[in-house]
Amino acid sequence: CDRHFFGFGAFGLAMPQPVSTVRIVGYGMTALGKLRRSATELMQEALQKALQSTGLQMKDLDGLVAVPSLSHPHFMEAHFLATQVGLLPRQNVRVRTIDTGGAGPVSGLLEAVRMVKAERCQAVAVVAGDAVSSLATADFLARADQGCRDPQGLLPSPCIPNGYDQVARWQMGRSVSREQLAMVSVLMSRQAQRHPLALTKRPHSLEDVLSSRSIAPATNLLECARRADGGAAIIVASSSFMDHHLGHDVVSSKDGAVSERLGPVAASGGVVVLGGGEASGPLFPPRDIDEAMFSCEAAAQSAFSEAQLLPGDVDWFGLYDCYPVCFVRALEACGVAAKGQGGQWVEQMFKRTQSEYQPADFPINTHGGLLAFGAPWEVPAMYNIIEACEQLTGAAGPRQVPRVRRALVYGNGGIFSHSSVAILAKPV
Ligand code: CAA
């Protein structure tokens, strides 16, 4: 029985938890911007910071999941990174590369949970990093287009904005207007003002967005994911392993102030992963777009079902917003807005946040999302996870939404090609 009920008792921080509870116990991220560093360097820095925030060392990891980069791709990215940082060669270490595009960090989180539960890993890092802002635009577009170009050439370059644009125009008239799409970018720019690392330093007006350079028929520059370099990592571990690790630390610490040198997540007992779901769609939109190409609904339903929760039980949402239409569809798929009401919901929020507003007025993407925080290719869903951790542990500073008990994070890959959703909670 003892073996089955250990929590963070050593800190007296939480009620005992079953040994099978899997938690995010730490995270780390680099600066964002045009950093002129390789993706590998950014991944390594983020990983080191994530380890530091847990008090763990590289030798304590026995699992690593990596998401590949566009700027510095490697055959078997996770094996490459694990070898670079000295995690391999070593016995009983499992590493895995996951490529579900921008959904990768959430897919990686769910894979890490499986590795702890089913493969008995004790601590698994999930790492992503990219340097797409340091790539010349022509080089970036050549690589990005190659991944998503349809064989019939229906998708002109830049393929990704054009692919989302086709979906945006299909969605217009169904549940969103052109102005409501532009309002999403305004909303994200308002949210970004409260995060010190966000790239967008002043809020956009609706006019700024609608008059910014046209990239596709219904998509302007300020409605494109904001290209950036950056790295981010999380550590996933079983509660019993962390209890043992932190308990030992408490005993061996001279001043007993262990929690002071840990990040907020480890110090508060970790963030519990309650459930997750994934689903897939085509690599590029079909000639006749219909609901069958979208997968966020199915992924969210699986996550809610595993967590045995409903949308109303969630206090904070991290929704993928590479383009406004992705955000609007996510609002509906995750149950924030009723089906067909996503655009109206955005407009209401646009009005509500026009003057001074509280984080609780708009508890979604409090960091600013891909449109305004920054978007290093497949990394940004990791920022959703990290922001969720900060919200759940009361560490979000001026962005803090009061009493966040549960959070939902959504990552989207390609052009609606993969959806991964996870539901996280603070330990009880
Ligand atoms: N908000 C504020 N500023 C923005 C912005 C935004 N959303 N987007 C771009 N800008 C800024 C840039 O920072 C840049 O500012 P500086 O001149 O001060 O550096 C300026 O606007 C011009 O932008 P670019 O340098 O990027 O302009 P460009 O002409 O070289 O390229 C573009 C234009 C082709 C549209 C390019 O910006 C682009 O492709 N953007 C979209 C990136 C993208 O699609 N990412 C993937 C999203 S899909 C996804 O995330 C899923 C997945 O699986 C990866």
Side-chain angles (χ1 to χ4, degrees), residues 216-237:
T219 307
N220 293 351
L221 182 67
L222 295 183
E223 295 167 291
C224 297
R226 185 163 184 170
R227 247 182 332 148
D229 304 345
I234 53 172
I235 310 290
V236 175

Side-chain angles (χ1 to χ4, degrees), residues 137-221:
T137 299
D139 194 4
F140 168 72
L141 288 182
R143 295 172 194 225
D145 284 356
Q146 192 193 17
C148 297
R149 194 185 295 279
D150 65 305
Q152 291 145 342
L154 294 177
L155 217 48
S157 180
C159 293
I160 293 185
N162 273 292
Y164 280 96
D165 187 80
Q166 288 183 359
V167 176
R169 282 182 284 139
W170 176 82
Q171 196 74 35
M172 279 161 59
R174 283 180 169 77
S175 72
V176 73
S177 68
R178 179 69 191 87
E179 285 70 25
Q180 288 165 343
L181 288 171
M183 285 172 194
V184 175
S185 174
V186 176
L187 283 172
M188 292 306 121
S189 72
R190 289 177 183 163
Q191 296 287 65
Q193 303 315 303
R194 294 186 170 128
H195 199 300
L197 292 181
L199 290 181
T200 296
K201 300 292 183 200
R202 72 172 184 88
H204 308 315
S205 67
L206 188 56
E207 179 54 23
D208 290 337
V209 179
L210 288 170
S211 64
S212 62
R213 175 164 35 117
S214 169
I215 303 297
T219 307
N220 293 351
L221 182 67

Side-chain angles (χ1 to χ4, degrees), residues 363-379:
I364 300 181
N365 294 1
T366 35
H367 58 309
L370 284 83
L371 288 168
F373 185 73
W377 196 238
E378 297 192 12
V379 181

Side-chain angles (χ1 to χ4, degrees), residues 330-372:
L331 288 172
E332 298 182 17
C334 297
V336 178
K339 190 81 190 149
Q341 303 290 307
Q344 257 178 43
W345 193 95
V346 165
E347 189 164 345
Q348 276 167 14
M349 207 46 70
F350 174 81
K351 288 178 181 153
R352 189 188 293 180
T353 58
Q354 233 156 3
S355 51
E356 198 65 22
Y357 69 97
Q358 297 301 314
D361 294 329
F362 185 28
I364 300 181
N365 294 1
T366 35
H367 58 309
L370 284 83
L371 288 168

